[in-house]
Amino acid sequence: MKNNKIKKLIIYRLYFITDPILKILPNKKNNSLYIIFSEARSGSTWLAEILRQGLDATLIWEPLHIKRGAVSSKFGYRPYWSNQLKDKLLKVFKGKFLNTWLISKEDKLLPFLKASKPLLVKFIRANKLIPEIFDDLTFKNKPIILLRHPASVFLSQVKRFKKSRENLWWNEKRKRFILKDPRFLKHKKFITKFKDPFYIDFAIFCMNNYHIYNNYKDDRMIPIFYEKMILSPENELAEALKEWNIKYDKINHLIKKPSSEVAKEGLKKKSKDQIAKWKFKLTKEEAEIFQSILDYFSIKVYDMKNGIPKTI
C-alpha cells in the first residue's frame, strides 16, 4: 500500500522531475511490439493487463493522452495523422521515448531497464487514426482492435467522465478541435441537426469510431468483441493468442479478475446481464435516436435491440 502511494505521488505530482530523467536514461532494445486499439471504458485495461502477463511485456499507457502522453496537446483530443505524429509514435514503439505517465501501470517505475522486454502499447484515442496508421506503417505482430457496443461504451464514458449527461464532447474545450476536423466537417449537417448535446456527443463518438466498427474484418488487425470475450473468452481470444504466441493456460486465471480501473470502482461481476445493462439507461425515444445515428454511420455489427455483436 505504501509503495502504491509513493508511485502515485511520483506519477501525478512529481513527474516534472522524473520525466526528464526517463528521457536521458539509455533504453535497452525491445524485441517485440504489440498494440491494442480501443476506446475508453471498453474493457481495454482489462484486456491489456491480461495480455501483458501472457507476453511478460512492459505496458505502455495511453500515448495520446492530451496532457501526459507522448505528443503535444496541440494535436488535440483525437489527433490528425501527420509525419510529426508518426515520428512521435515510432519513438514510443521503439522504446526511444518514455515518460512517467506511459509506464504508470508498471509495478516497477523503470521496467525498460530489463533487457529485451516486449512493449504492449494500449491506445484509447487512436481509433480514428487506424486507416492512416495501417496505410503508413506495417507491424510484425497484428494489432488487436477491441470492440464493444457503441451505446455501452458511450454511456459508460458519460458516467465516468461527466457528472451530467451533457457536453462530453460538444463543449468549448473540445469544440475548437472538433470544428477543424475534416471528418466532422463532412458530417456536420447531420451531427448538428440534434439540439440536445447528448445526441451530438453520441454522434461524435460514432464519427470517431465508425471505421473500426465497419471494417473489423480487415486482415491487418485482430478483432476482439468485449461481449464475446465475457461469454466465451477462450474462443474469442483464440486468434489473438495464436498470433501473439500466448498460451491460454497462462492467462486463464486472470480473466475473472477485474481490471485495475474497475477495481477502483468496486468489483463488478462480468456476466451476460452486464453486457446489456446499458439498455436500461435509455428511454425508448433515446434508443431510437441512437439507432438513427448508428444507421447514418452504417454501423451494422451492433444495434440498439441487442447487446451481442452480429458477426456471423
Side-chain angles (χ1 to χ4, degrees):
M1 183 65 70
K2 183 177 180 181
N3 288 339
N4 285 338
K5 288 182 178 179
I6 294 173
K7 179 181 171 184
K8 288 181 179 179
L9 176 66
I10 293 172
I11 292 168
Y12 297 108
R13 296 289 182 267
L14 301 179
Y15 60 86
F16 63 91
I17 297 174
T18 55
D19 279 2
I21 296 174
L22 288 173
K23 288 180 181 180
I24 64 174
L25 285 174
N27 299 333
K28 292 192 175 182
K29 181 180 178 181
N30 295 283
N31 282 339
S32 303
L33 171 69
Y34 302 87
I35 299 175
I36 296 173
F37 292 107
S38 192
E39 263 282 348
R41 310 300 294 177
S42 62
S44 59
T45 299
W46 179 46
L47 179 62
E49 290 177 348
I50 290 171
L51 296 180
R52 172 178 62 174
Q53 295 296 322
L55 294 166
D56 186 26
T58 296
L59 180 56
I60 302 298
W61 189 252
E62 319 297 10
L64 296 181
H65 190 281
I66 192 166
K67 292 182 179 178
R68 301 295 314 285
V71 299
S72 166
S73 60
K74 71 180 181 180
F75 285 93
Y77 291 89
R78 291 294 186 272
Y80 312 102
W81 189 242
S82 65
N83 287 332
Q84 189 178 4
L85 180 60
K86 175 183 174 181
D87 291 342
K88 290 277 189 181
L89 291 183
L90 284 175
K91 288 181 180 179
V92 173
F93 293 162
K94 295 175 182 178
K96 300 297 184 183
F97 178 90
L98 291 168
N99 64 23
T100 315
W101 169 261
L102 295 180
I103 60 170
S104 61
K105 296 300 178 181
E106 286 296 313
D107 295 331
K108 297 182 179 180
L109 289 176
L110 302 179
F112 57 93
L113 292 179
K114 296 179 180 179
S116 302
K117 195 168 183 182
L119 295 181
L120 174 58
V121 182
K122 182 178 88 88
F123 286 102
I124 60 167
R125 295 169 174 85
N127 283 358
K128 194 172 70 172
L129 293 171
I130 285 177
E132 289 85 1
I133 289 175
F134 282 172
D135 286 345
D136 215 1
L137 302 174
T138 57
F139 302 100
K140 181 179 179 181
N141 302 299
K142 285 186 183 181
I144 286 172
I145 178 71
L146 177 64
L147 302 115
R148 187 174 182 176
H149 198 293
S152 177
V153 177
F154 173 73
L155 292 172
S156 183
Q157 289 179 354
V158 171
K159 180 180 178 181
R160 175 66 175 83
F161 301 122
K162 295 297 294 182
K163 292 182 179 180
S164 72
R165 296 206 312 180
E166 295 184 349
N167 301 329
L168 182 67
W169 279 98
W170 199 241
N171 57 56
E172 294 306 316
K173 192 174 182 180
R174 296 189 174 193
K175 195 183 292 186
R176 63 191 179 96
F177 294 109
I178 294 171
L179 290 173
K180 299 176 184 177
D181 187 336
R183 188 172 289 185
F184 171 78
L185 295 176
K186 179 180 178 181
H187 302 289
K188 181 179 179 181
K189 184 176 180 180
F190 172 79
I191 293 173
T192 56
K193 78 174 185 178
F194 298 106
K195 304 305 179 185
D196 188 337
F198 182 52
Y199 302 126
I200 294 178
D201 280 347
F202 183 62
I204 292 173
F205 172 90
C206 291
M207 176 193 77
N208 287 335
N209 291 283
Y210 74 85
H211 177 85
I212 58 122
Y213 286 114
N214 296 344
N215 295 278
Y216 67 89
K217 293 182 180 179
D218 188 327
D219 62 8
R220 293 173 294 180
M221 60 187 179
I222 304 168
I224 292 178
F225 289 89
Y226 172 86
E227 296 85 1
K228 289 188 172 185
M229 186 174 167
I230 286 179
L231 297 175
S232 182
E234 187 170 5
N235 289 337
E236 187 61 14
L237 289 171
E239 182 183 356
L241 298 184
K242 181 179 179 181
E243 178 74 24
W244 287 15
N245 195 26
I246 301 172
K247 294 193 177 298
Y248 184 76
D249 291 345
K250 191 173 182 179
I251 62 169
N252 182 34
H253 67 289
L254 299 169
I255 289 176
K256 293 183 180 180
K257 294 177 62 176
S259 72
S260 57
E261 295 298 303
V262 169
K264 294 176 186 176
E265 303 165 15
L267 177 60
K268 297 178 181 178
K269 184 179 179 181
K270 293 181 173 67
S271 67
K272 188 172 182 178
D273 291 338
Q274 183 185 344
I275 290 174
K277 67 179 183 180
W278 56 267
K279 293 170 69 174
F280 301 103
K281 299 177 181 178
L282 296 171
T283 66
K284 182 180 178 181
E285 180 185 5
E286 288 171 335
E288 289 174 351
I289 294 175
F290 271 37
Q291 183 62 56
S292 73
I293 295 171
L294 295 179
D295 291 341
Y296 173 83
F297 287 104
S298 300
I299 297 174
K300 301 184 184 303
V301 69
Y302 286 103
D303 62 37
M304 296 303 296
K305 294 181 179 179
N306 197 340
I308 306 298
K310 299 180 289 183
T311 56
I312 298 175

